[in-house]
């Protein structure tokens, strides 16, 4: 993965959004993609929180990478991640208390997200600060994008509204805001993005080795 | 070299050597035919609206199948009758008065999400028609529980809404059920004929039994699943059915009411026996049926819904592959691994 000299920052960012999209391609961190995406507002805020944590963790780990002994690297990564999650958690509790009431638990759960630890281990601990930041931004935006798309469709179909405002005046498909509908939405969107990948980008086969 | 006469030639070919005339499409169309009596009874009791709902459901199912197979350049297999059967079963499981888009959404979910996305006929884990109905029940809880009072002919277009026997049993108890239907004999007769509120195709026990007898006679379904399903449900209904309400006692339930109401017969004979989603080993099928019966009665007596057949079958569907593994027949001549080790020693 230490291939930053040849790869531009732009490619690092798009890699996280398209080729290695956390949810649609790597199928990591699926828990929040179902649990908090019943409304667009929750989905976007969750995505933003993860974007922030991912970037800050990548920068911190990259700064510290020369001082971390390989044998204790995982506990140290976890400490850094929980530190930044605590920062996010407290800021959100102060800034948007009503949303925090609904999804506070999931904000704290960001600590356990596979995607964040994976990027710290695979990328930030082996690369300089600037590329690590680019990678964090790409991964975070990819996650934000996925959560936004999922919650967009789930709220539109399940409640007939967007960001809490009623849009469609028809009987909503109630199942879409229930957990089962979350699985439907993630599955169908995953299939759709993979289909685009194979059909138009022709990278579907090589990206998955 | 001398020419060998045709009748003396040894022809080597790949098995199977003896082929049955039964094909998938023949079985599917037979099951469809066996459901017709119940559908006709439903149409008789609930009027043109019921026919309309079933028809839309079938058309939507067939179209979904056709469009999906066309879009994916797969072989168009609409004529095998499986989509028609799924549509018919879904239609029969809907309340008579649903708006037209309900069967369309249900058929779409049943055919595309439950069947085709899992790989088509033979690969689906769950019964498509039941998933379609479960999707609708969860999405439109109010519309899916408006039950029309049956009318004896095609005359009354605007029938009153009422509760199903199971709904009455759940909400108000046995006494109220007796009050509505008069005496016990009348209750049994009405349930047996199908003169009660319920889904279009589930009400008439006699029509369902005629269809089931036909399938059993032709050997398309075996007795294992229906017998163990209905048997377990009857036993549980008899033991625990009387416990609800004041002064309840063990062994005081009425198994006949439970067997004849709700979707019990339709589920036991036509849905649980779906070849794709039930275990293929006979012993396993009995366990499958017991599980269905147990869960059905658990939901009916203790759960939030008055009827549990649909969820029971769907939940037990998940266990089918496991049950098949558990009751795997012994390979001829093979011995168990532990025994083989002993022999080696």
């Amino acid at each position: 993965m230490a291939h930053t000299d040849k790869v531009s920052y732009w490619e690092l960012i798009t890699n996280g959004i398209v080729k290695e999209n956390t949810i649609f391609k790597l199928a990591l961190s699926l828990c929040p993609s179902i649990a908090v995406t019943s409304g667009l507002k929750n989905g976007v805020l969750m995505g933003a929180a993860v974007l922030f944590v991912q970037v800050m963790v990548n920068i911190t780990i990259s700064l510290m990478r020369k001082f971390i002994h390989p044998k204790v690297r995982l506990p140290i990564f976890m400490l850094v991640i929980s530190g930044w999650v605590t920062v996010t958690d407290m800021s959100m509790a102060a800034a948007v208390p009503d949303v925090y009431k609904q999804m506070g638990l999931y904000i704290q759960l960001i600590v356990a997200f596979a995607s964040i630890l994976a990027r710290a281990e695979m990328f930030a601990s082996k690369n300089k600060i600037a590329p690590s930041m680019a990678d964090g931004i790409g991964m975070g935006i990819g996650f934000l994008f996925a959560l936004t798309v999922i919650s967009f469709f789930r709220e539109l179909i399940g409640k007939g509204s967007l960001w809490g405002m009623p849009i469609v005046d028809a009987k909503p498909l109630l199942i879409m805001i229930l957990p089962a509908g979350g699985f439907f939405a993630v599955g169908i969107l995953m299939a759709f993005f993979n289909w685009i990948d194979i059909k138009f980008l022709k990278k579907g086969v090589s990206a998955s080795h | 070299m001398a020419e060998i006469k045709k009748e003396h030639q040894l022809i080597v070919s790949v098995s199977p050597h003896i082929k049955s005339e039964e094909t998938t499409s023949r079985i599917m169309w037979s099951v469809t035919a066996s459901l017709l009596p119940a559908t006709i009874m439903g149409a008789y009791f609930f009027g043109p609206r019921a026919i309309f709902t079933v028809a839309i459901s079938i058309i939507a199912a067939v179209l979904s199948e056709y469009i999906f197979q066309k879009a994916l350049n797969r072989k168009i297999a609409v004529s095998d009758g499986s989509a028609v059967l799924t549509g018919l079963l879904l239609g029969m499981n809907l309340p008579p008065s649903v708006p037209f888009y309900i069967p369309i959404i249900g058929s779409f979910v049943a055919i595309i999400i439950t069947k085709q996305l899992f790989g088509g006929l033979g690969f689906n884990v769950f019964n498509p028609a039941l998933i379609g109905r479960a999707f609708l029940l969860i999405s439109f809880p109010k519309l899916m529980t408006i039950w029309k009072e049956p009318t004896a002919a095609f005359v009354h277009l605007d029938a009153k809404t009422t509760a199903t026997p199971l709904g009455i049993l759940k909400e108000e108890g046995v006494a109220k059920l007796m009050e509505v239907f008069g005496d016990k004999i009348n209750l049994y007769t009405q349930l047996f004929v199908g003169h009660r509120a319920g889904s279009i195709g589930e009400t008439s026990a006699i029509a369902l039994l005629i269809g089931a007898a036909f399938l059993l006679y032709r050997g398309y379904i075996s007795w294992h699943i229906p017998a163990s399903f209905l048997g377990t449900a009857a036993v549980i209904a008899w033991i625990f059915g009387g416990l609800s309400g004041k002064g309840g006692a063990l062994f005081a339930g009425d198994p006949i009411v439970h067997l004849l109401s709700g979707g019990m017969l339709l589920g036991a004979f036509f849905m649980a026996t779906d070849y794709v989603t039930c275990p293929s080993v006979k012993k396993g099928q009995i366990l499958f049926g017991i599980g269905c019966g147990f869960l059905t009665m658990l939901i009916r007596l203790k759960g939030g819904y008055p009827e549990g057949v649909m969820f029971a079958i769907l939940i037990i569907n998940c266990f089918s592959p496991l049950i098949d593994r558990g009751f795997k027949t012994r390979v001829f001549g093979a011995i168990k691994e532990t025994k083989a080790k002993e022999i080696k020693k």
Side-chain angles (χ1 to χ4, degrees), chain A residues 118-159:
Chain A
R119 290 332 279 184
E121 159 82 6
M122 284 165 62
F123 200 95
S125 64
K126 294 167 189 161
N127 288 289
K128 288 182 183 156
I129 297 169
S132 296
M133 200 173 112
D135 181 71
I137 291 172
M139 280 294 169
I141 292 179
F143 192 83
L144 174 64
F145 166 72
L147 254 63
T148 309
V149 176
I150 295 168
S151 53
F152 174 84
F153 284 112
R154 282 186 71 188
E155 190 179 352
L156 188 65
I157 302 173
K159 278 190 208 148

Coordinates of all heavy atoms in Angstrom, one line a residue, chain A residues 118-159:
Chain A
A118 N -9.0 0.0 9.8 CA -8.4 -0.6 8.6 C -7.5 0.5 7.9 O -6.4 0.2 7.4 CB -9.4 -1.1 7.6
R119 N -8.0 1.7 7.7 CA -7.3 2.7 7.0 C -6.0 3.1 7.9 O -5.0 3.4 7.3 CB -8.1 4.0 6.7 CG -9.2 3.8 5.7 CD -8.9 2.8 4.6 NE -8.0 3.3 3.6 CZ -7.7 2.5 2.5 NH1 -8.2 1.3 2.4 NH2 -6.8 3.0 1.6
A120 N -6.2 3.2 9.2 CA -5.1 3.5 10.1 C -4.0 2.5 9.9 O -2.8 2.8 9.8 CB -5.6 3.6 11.5
E121 N -4.4 1.2 9.9 CA -3.4 0.1 9.8 C -2.8 0.0 8.4 O -1.6 -0.1 8.3 CB -4.1 -1.2 10.2 CG -3.5 -2.4 9.7 CD -2.3 -2.9 10.6 OE1 -2.1 -2.3 11.7 OE2 -1.6 -3.8 10.3
M122 N -3.7 0.1 7.4 CA -3.2 -0.2 6.1 C -2.5 1.0 5.4 O -1.6 0.9 4.6 CB -4.3 -0.7 5.2 CG -4.7 -2.1 5.4 SD -6.3 -2.4 4.7 CE -5.9 -2.1 3.0
F123 N -3.0 2.2 5.8 CA -2.5 3.4 5.0 C -1.7 4.4 5.9 O -0.5 4.6 5.7 CB -3.6 4.1 4.3 CG -3.2 4.9 3.2 CD1 -3.2 4.5 1.9 CD2 -2.7 6.2 3.4 CE1 -2.7 5.2 0.8 CE2 -2.3 7.0 2.4 CZ -2.3 6.5 1.1
A124 N -2.4 4.9 6.9 CA -1.8 6.0 7.6 C -0.5 5.7 8.4 O 0.4 6.5 8.5 CB -2.8 6.6 8.6
S125 N -0.4 4.4 8.8 CA 0.8 4.0 9.6 C 2.0 3.8 8.7 O 3.1 3.6 9.1 CB 0.5 2.8 10.4 OG 0.2 1.7 9.6
K126 N 1.8 3.9 7.3 CA 2.9 3.6 6.4 C 3.1 4.8 5.5 O 4.0 4.7 4.7 CB 2.5 2.4 5.6 CG 2.4 1.1 6.3 CD 1.8 0.0 5.5 CE 1.5 -1.2 6.3 NZ 0.5 -2.1 5.7
N127 N 2.3 5.9 5.6 CA 2.5 7.0 4.7 C 2.6 8.3 5.4 O 2.3 8.4 6.6 CB 1.3 7.0 3.7 CG 1.3 5.8 2.8 OD1 2.1 5.8 1.9 ND2 0.4 4.9 3.0
K128 N 3.1 9.3 4.6 CA 3.3 10.6 5.1 C 1.9 11.3 5.4 O 0.9 10.8 5.0 CB 4.1 11.4 4.1 CG 5.5 11.0 4.1 CD 6.3 11.9 3.1 CE 7.7 11.4 3.0 NZ 8.4 11.8 1.7
I129 N 2.0 12.5 6.0 CA 0.8 13.1 6.5 C -0.1 13.5 5.3 O -1.3 13.2 5.4 CB 1.2 14.4 7.3 CG1 2.0 14.0 8.5 CG2 -0.1 15.1 7.7 CD1 2.6 15.1 9.3
A130 N 0.4 14.1 4.3 CA -0.5 14.6 3.2 C -1.2 13.5 2.5 O -2.5 13.6 2.4 CB 0.3 15.5 2.2
P131 N -0.5 12.5 2.1 CA -1.3 11.4 1.5 C -2.3 10.7 2.4 O -3.4 10.3 2.0 CB -0.3 10.4 1.0 CG 1.0 10.8 1.5 CD 0.9 12.3 1.9
S132 N -1.9 10.6 3.7 CA -2.8 10.0 4.7 C -4.1 10.8 4.8 O -5.2 10.3 4.9 CB -2.2 9.9 6.0 OG -1.1 9.1 6.0
M133 N -3.9 12.2 4.8 CA -5.0 13.0 4.9 C -5.9 12.8 3.7 O -7.2 12.7 3.8 CB -4.6 14.5 5.0 CG -5.6 15.4 5.6 SD -4.9 17.0 5.8 CE -5.8 18.0 4.6
A134 N -5.3 12.8 2.5 CA -6.1 12.6 1.2 C -6.8 11.3 1.3 O -8.0 11.2 1.0 CB -5.1 12.6 0.0
D135 N -6.2 10.2 1.8 CA -6.9 8.9 1.9 C -8.0 9.0 2.9 O -9.1 8.5 2.6 CB -5.8 7.9 2.4 CG -6.5 6.5 2.5 OD1 -6.7 5.9 1.5 OD2 -6.7 6.1 3.7
G136 N -7.8 9.7 4.0 CA -8.9 9.9 5.0 C -10.1 10.6 4.4 O -11.2 10.2 4.6
I137 N -9.7 11.7 3.6 CA -10.8 12.5 3.0 C -11.6 11.6 2.0 O -12.8 11.6 2.0 CB -10.2 13.7 2.3 CG1 -9.7 14.7 3.3 CG2 -11.3 14.4 1.4 CD1 -8.9 15.9 2.8
G138 N -10.9 10.9 1.2 CA -11.5 10.0 0.2 C -12.4 9.0 0.8 O -13.6 8.8 0.5
M139 N -11.9 8.3 1.8 CA -12.6 7.2 2.5 C -13.9 7.8 3.2 O -15.0 7.3 3.2 CB -11.8 6.5 3.5 CG -10.9 5.5 2.9 SD -11.9 4.2 2.3 CE -10.7 3.3 1.3
G140 N -13.6 9.0 3.9 CA -14.7 9.6 4.6 C -15.8 10.1 3.7 O -17.0 9.9 3.9
I141 N -15.4 10.7 2.5 CA -16.4 11.2 1.6 C -17.2 10.0 1.0 O -18.4 10.1 0.8 CB -15.8 12.1 0.5 CG1 -15.3 13.4 1.1 CG2 -16.8 12.4 -0.6 CD1 -14.6 14.3 0.2
G142 N -16.4 8.9 0.7 CA -17.1 7.7 0.2 C -18.2 7.2 1.2 O -19.3 6.9 0.7
F143 N -17.8 7.2 2.4 CA -18.8 6.8 3.5 C -20.0 7.7 3.5 O -21.1 7.3 3.6 CB -18.0 6.7 4.8 CG -18.8 6.0 5.9 CD1 -18.8 4.6 5.9 CD2 -19.6 6.7 6.8 CE1 -19.5 4.0 6.9 CE2 -20.3 6.1 7.8 CZ -20.3 4.7 7.8
L144 N -19.6 9.0 3.5 CA -20.7 10.1 3.6 C -21.6 9.9 2.4 O -22.8 10.0 2.5 CB -20.0 11.4 3.6 CG -21.0 12.7 3.5 CD1 -21.9 12.7 4.7 CD2 -20.1 13.9 3.4
F145 N -21.0 9.7 1.2 CA -21.8 9.6 0.0 C -22.7 8.4 0.1 O -23.9 8.4 -0.2 CB -20.9 9.4 -1.2 CG -21.5 8.9 -2.4 CD1 -22.3 9.7 -3.2 CD2 -21.3 7.6 -2.9 CE1 -23.0 9.3 -4.3 CE2 -21.9 7.1 -4.0 CZ -22.8 8.0 -4.7
A146 N -22.2 7.2 0.6 CA -23.0 6.0 0.7 C -24.2 6.2 1.7 O -25.3 5.9 1.3 CB -22.1 4.8 1.2
L147 N -23.9 6.8 2.8 CA -24.9 7.0 3.8 C -26.0 8.0 3.3 O -27.2 7.8 3.6 CB -24.3 7.5 5.1 CG -24.3 6.4 6.2 CD1 -23.4 5.3 5.8 CD2 -23.9 7.0 7.6
T148 N -25.5 9.0 2.6 CA -26.5 10.0 2.0 C -27.4 9.3 1.0 O -28.6 9.5 1.1 CB -25.7 11.1 1.3 OG1 -24.7 11.6 2.2 CG2 -26.6 12.2 1.0
V149 N -26.8 8.5 0.1 CA -27.7 7.9 -0.9 C -28.7 6.9 -0.2 O -29.9 6.9 -0.5 CB -26.8 7.1 -1.9 CG1 -27.7 6.4 -2.9 CG2 -25.9 8.1 -2.7
I150 N -28.2 6.1 0.7 CA -29.0 5.1 1.3 C -30.2 5.8 2.1 O -31.3 5.5 1.9 CB -28.2 4.2 2.3 CG1 -27.2 3.4 1.5 CG2 -29.2 3.3 3.1 CD1 -26.2 2.7 2.4
S151 N -29.8 6.8 2.9 CA -30.8 7.5 3.7 C -31.8 8.3 2.8 O -32.9 8.4 3.2 CB -30.2 8.3 4.8 OG -29.3 9.2 4.2
F152 N -31.3 8.8 1.7 CA -32.1 9.6 0.8 C -33.3 8.7 0.3 O -34.5 9.0 0.5 CB -31.3 10.0 -0.4 CG -32.1 10.7 -1.5 CD1 -32.4 12.0 -1.4 CD2 -32.5 10.0 -2.6 CE1 -33.2 12.6 -2.4 CE2 -33.3 10.6 -3.6 CZ -33.6 11.9 -3.5
F153 N -32.9 7.5 -0.2 CA -34.0 6.6 -0.7 C -34.9 6.1 0.4 O -36.1 6.0 0.3 CB -33.4 5.5 -1.5 CG -32.9 5.9 -2.9 CD1 -31.6 5.9 -3.2 CD2 -33.8 6.3 -3.8 CE1 -31.1 6.4 -4.4 CE2 -33.4 6.7 -5.1 CZ -32.1 6.8 -5.4
R154 N -34.2 5.8 1.6 CA -35.0 5.2 2.6 C -36.0 6.2 3.2 O -37.2 5.8 3.4 CB -34.1 4.7 3.8 CG -33.5 3.3 3.4 CD -32.7 2.8 4.6 NE -33.6 2.3 5.7 CZ -33.2 2.0 6.9 NH1 -31.9 2.0 7.1 NH2 -34.0 1.5 7.8
E155 N -35.6 7.4 3.3 CA -36.6 8.4 3.9 C -37.6 8.8 2.8 O -38.8 8.9 3.2 CB -35.8 9.7 4.3 CG -36.8 10.6 5.1 CD -36.1 11.9 5.6 OE1 -34.9 12.0 5.5 OE2 -36.9 12.7 6.1
L156 N -37.2 8.9 1.6 CA -38.1 9.2 0.5 C -39.2 8.2 0.4 O -40.4 8.5 0.3 CB -37.4 9.4 -0.8 CG -38.2 10.0 -2.0 CD1 -38.6 11.4 -1.6 CD2 -37.4 10.0 -3.2
I157 N -38.8 6.9 0.3 CA -39.8 5.8 0.1 C -40.5 5.5 1.4 O -41.7 5.2 1.4 CB -39.1 4.6 -0.5 CG1 -38.4 5.0 -1.8 CG2 -40.1 3.5 -0.8 CD1 -37.5 3.9 -2.4
G158 N -39.7 5.5 2.5 CA -40.3 5.0 3.7 C -41.2 6.0 4.4 O -42.1 5.7 5.2
K159 N -40.9 7.3 4.3 CA -41.7 8.3 5.0 C -42.3 9.3 4.0 O -43.2 10.1 4.4 CB -40.8 9.1 5.9 CG -40.6 8.4 7.3 CD -39.9 9.4 8.2 CE -39.0 8.7 9.2 NZ -37.9 9.5 9.6

